[in-house]
Amino acid sequence: MPIQHFPASTGAPPLSSAARVGDLLFISGTPGFDDNRQLPDDFAAQFGFVVKGLQRILQQAGATMRHLVKVNVLLTRASDVAAMNKLYAEAFGPAPYPARTTCVVQALPDPKMLIEIEAVAALAG
């Protein structure tokens, strides 16, 4: 079965933003960089840029947020869980929501990263 790769943006580490195999699209961890490759200090701003990045990748694959079936959220601060849940409900809703795991991790690749989301989407054949 062929694999279709969606290249990462310029300046990203050596990875694909997503890879499609059959009807599944695997989206790499998406951080909250703005359009200038800067990380805002504010959690809500980073979350917004994560969502924008996910939407861009999904659009390239001909999909939307409603195609997401599994989401993994990585946070660096437990204190952001409540805010993330509120923002998540707005961005990924309305229900039903994708299956989700949320983890609070010690660190992400850039010390200013507060959130990263990876996901799997189911696409039409």
Side-chain angles (χ1 to χ4, degrees):
M1 185 174 295
I3 301 171
Q4 179 184 6
H5 292 273
F6 295 84
S9 60
T10 304
L15 53 80
S16 294
S17 291
R20 180 178 181 167
V21 179
D23 290 345
L24 294 177
L25 180 70
F26 298 89
I27 302 172
S28 293
T30 304
F33 288 103
D34 66 17
D35 295 334
N36 296 315
R37 300 280 309 149
Q38 301 297 312
L39 285 166
D41 293 329
D42 179 65
F43 177 80
Q46 283 195 29
F47 184 91
F49 286 116
V50 169
V51 170
K52 184 177 175 182
L54 290 172
Q55 289 171 332
R56 179 185 49 78
I57 294 164
L58 288 163
Q59 183 180 31
Q60 289 174 355
T64 69
M65 299 286 274
R66 300 307 294 170
H67 290 93
L68 294 173
V69 294
K70 177 67 168 102
V71 174
N72 294 324
V73 179
L74 304 176
L75 303 172
T76 58
R77 302 184 307 208
S79 60
D80 289 326
V81 171
M84 188 277 300
N85 280 329
K86 182 179 183 304
L87 294 165
Y88 185 96
E90 295 168 3
F92 289 77
Y97 298 99
R100 185 183 95 190
T101 300
T102 302
C103 297
V104 177
V105 299
Q106 184 172 353
L108 289 166
D110 185 306
K112 290 179 65 179
M113 287 173 66
L114 303 176
I115 184 170
E116 182 174 69
I117 295 179
E118 65 178 14
V120 178
L123 311 176

